[in-house]
């Protein structure tokens, strides 16, 4: 089973705990042998999911949306990003340089294209900018990739 992840970044601490538990449950639905998690490993749900897949005994594939992608992530996330990137069994790249909304969407399109199912940590609201979670969910639906929305009761965004 190839599971992909998309989701909101910058979630409040209370929501983070709810989402982490929900992601753990989603991953536990699948046997670890043959489980491949695919993630852009941004801070938040992308990285939490990647760490949990590895902890469960699955393999990780990483999508790098742009050469400058890491530079646009919070500095405090760089260590986790680098560690997850080193643990990846395979890395997919868009070939783009600038880490902008176009590159992020291109990366998400690659991710959706290589998974059997997409897990979306999504509040159901429209994207706040092109390439946001809602756009990724819509793309998955258009391309026929099954999507499971994870937004636990009590979760909220700032």
């Amino acid at each position: 089973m190839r599971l992909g992840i998309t989701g909101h970044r910058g979630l409040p601490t209370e929501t983070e705990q709810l989402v982490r538990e929900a992601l753990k449950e989603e991953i536990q639905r699948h046997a670890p042998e043959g489980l491949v998690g695919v993630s852009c490993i941004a801070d938040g749900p992308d990285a939490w999911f990647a760490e949990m897949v590895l902890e469960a005994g699955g393999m990780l594939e990483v999508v790098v949306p742009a050469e400058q992608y890491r530079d646009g992530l919070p500095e405090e996330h760089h260590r986790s990003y680098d560690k997850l990137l080193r643990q990846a069994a395979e890395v997919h790249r868009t070939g783009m340089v600038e880490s902008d909304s176009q590159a992020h969407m291109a990366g998400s399109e690659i991710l959706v294209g290589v998974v059997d199912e997409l897990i979306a940590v999504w509040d159901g609201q429209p994207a706040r900018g092109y390439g946001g979670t809602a756009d990724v969910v819509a793309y998955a639906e258009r391309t026929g990739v099954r999507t499971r929305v994870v937004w636990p009761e009590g979760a909220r965004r700032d």
Side-chain angles (χ1 to χ4, degrees):
M1 171 58 84
R2 298 175 63 79
L3 289 177
I5 183 72
T6 187
H8 302 308
R9 297 171 53 206
L11 297 173
T13 304
E14 312 79 50
T15 298
E16 175 181 342
Q17 295 308 317
L18 295 170
V19 168
R20 281 180 178 270
E21 189 58 41
L23 287 174
K24 183 187 278 187
E25 290 173 14
E26 287 296 319
I27 292 166
Q28 289 174 344
R29 293 178 50 245
H30 305 282
E33 55 278 346
L35 175 62
V36 177
V38 185
S39 174
C40 293
I41 62 173
D43 53 303
D46 285 15
W48 307 333
F49 170 83
E51 291 163 353
M52 289 177 195
V53 165
L54 291 169
E55 288 169 9
M59 290 180 23
L60 175 64
E61 290 184 14
V62 170
V63 177
V64 178
E67 288 179 34
Q68 297 173 351
Y69 181 65
R70 179 187 181 271
D71 298 338
L73 298 173
E75 190 172 325
E76 62 271 10
H77 180 62
H78 288 181
R79 181 179 294 161
S80 295
Y81 180 90
D82 294 344
K83 181 179 178 186
L84 289 168
L85 189 59
R86 284 191 306 271
Q87 292 176 290
E90 188 170 346
V91 178
H92 308 271
R93 298 179 186 276
T94 65
M96 300 173 93
V97 175
E98 189 177 338
S99 186
D100 58 15
S101 58
Q102 301 295 328
H104 299 171
M105 191 63 198
S108 294
E109 289 172 359
I110 289 172
L111 185 147
V112 169
V114 300
V115 301
D116 301 307
E117 182 175 285
L118 178 69
I119 297 171
V121 178
W122 181 41
D123 63 1
Q125 298 299 310
R128 293 181 177 173
Y130 179 68
T133 304
D135 294 332
V136 179
V137 170
Y139 180 79
E141 290 174 355
R142 283 194 310 274
T143 58
V145 173
R146 182 175 57 238
T147 303
R148 292 180 57 88
V149 174
V150 171
W151 194 250
E153 187 172 330
R156 64 177 180 76
R157 287 177 74 187
D158 288 335

